[in-house]
Amino acid sequence: MKLLSMRTLARWHIWLGWLVGVPIAMWLATGLFMVSRPIEEVRGEHLRVKADPVPLALPGSTLAGPGTALREMRVVMQDGRAVAILTGLKGETRRVDFATGAAIPPLDAAAARALVAARITGGDKAARVTLFPADKTPFDFRRPVAVWQVQLADGTNVYVGRDTGEIEAVRTRWWRAFDFAWGLHIMDLSEREDTSHPVLILFAALSLTGALIGCVLMFRRRKARPSAA
């Protein structure tokens, strides 16, 4: 009975090998192809000619006039009024009233907490609110933006831009688990951004080689030998 069971499992293993062998080889081959070049090169970013940023200039505008050194301006509605979020050439951000041009102060902890309570389900259950400067943001945010981290009771971290007054990111516990798994997947736990590096390429090539050898061996029929009496 035990021998028959093992033979049955071996037969199932062979049939499953036929079913999944080709897709696995295909996934590994396409994966090796995709990680063989840096994503920046795939996107053609290395072909862009570097040029100094040109300041935003809107004729007749006091917000984006000559000398304001703005890179970008976007207008959003906040608290029932039009607010212009201005980004300078050096990356600094500030808010002004779009109608009057009056400066709007950065968000404080109470305002960040209220924003999360209004826009996030369960946001009224904030456990802690912490300010992080642009150069010391948490790992699950990873952007050079000054933010308030609003920690909710369920473990979710909501990041509110201090100078933008907008929710910049929501990081649930599942997101953080996914991010860790992604880091393992691309073998980059330090930054979790590099999808093309020698270690990943090497193991992808070895895995593809192993899968191809396995597919070749599937064609070899092995007959069970009778056991000696």
Side-chain angles (χ1 to χ4, degrees):
M1 179 65 70
K2 181 178 180 181
L3 179 60
L4 177 63
S5 175
M6 293 300 294
R7 287 180 177 177
T8 301
L9 289 176
R11 189 178 300 112
W12 289 354
H13 177 73
I14 292 174
W15 280 108
L16 285 175
W18 279 110
L19 289 175
V20 305
V22 174
I24 287 176
M26 179 183 64
W27 292 333
L28 290 172
T30 54
L32 177 59
F33 172 77
M34 288 187 292
V35 303
S36 62
R37 307 303 300 175
I39 189 62
E40 294 80 10
E41 186 173 332
V42 174
R43 292 171 178 167
E45 295 181 8
H46 64 296
L47 300 177
R48 296 177 181 270
V49 177
K50 294 184 179 180
D52 295 331
V54 179
L56 177 65
L58 298 177
S61 172
T62 57
L63 297 179
T68 55
L70 290 183
R71 183 182 67 192
E72 179 183 81
M73 177 178 69
R74 60 189 180 99
V75 182
V76 298
M77 291 298 295
Q78 294 181 354
D79 297 328
R81 62 176 173 175
V83 173
I85 301 176
L86 310 176
T87 303
L89 295 177
K90 296 181 180 180
E92 69 280 7
T93 303
R94 59 190 177 91
R95 294 185 302 160
V96 299
D97 187 293
F98 184 69
T100 65
I104 300 175
L107 256 65
D108 57 15
R113 185 188 293 266
L115 181 63
V116 172
R119 295 190 183 180
I120 299 295
T121 301
D124 56 335
K125 299 178 177 63
R128 185 170 59 181
V129 181
T130 308
L131 177 64
F132 289 91
D135 59 343
K136 294 182 179 179
T137 55
F139 188 70
D140 63 349
F141 185 63
R142 296 202 293 273
R143 288 171 53 193
V145 178
V147 288
W148 288 100
Q149 181 195 68
V150 182
Q151 294 182 339
L152 304 185
D154 63 356
T156 298
N157 292 333
V158 183
Y159 291 98
V160 181
R162 182 197 63 184
D163 303 313
T164 64
E166 296 284 290
I167 293 178
E168 300 293 338
V170 180
R171 304 301 192 221
T172 64
R173 286 179 174 175
W174 279 111
W175 187 98
R176 293 193 289 275
F178 179 93
D179 188 51
F180 178 74
W182 170 252
L184 290 176
H185 184 67
I186 64 173
M187 298 183 177
D188 178 20
L189 285 175
S190 60
E191 300 295 332
R192 300 176 190 174
E193 299 287 345
D194 191 357
T195 58
S196 177
H197 54 87
V199 174
L200 179 59
I201 294 173
L202 173 62
F203 278 97
L206 292 175
S207 300
L208 177 59
T209 302
L212 292 177
I213 293 174
C215 290
V216 172
L217 292 177
M218 292 293 293
F219 289 96
R220 181 181 178 183
R221 299 180 61 182
R222 295 183 177 179
K223 296 182 179 180
R225 296 180 179 179
S227 57

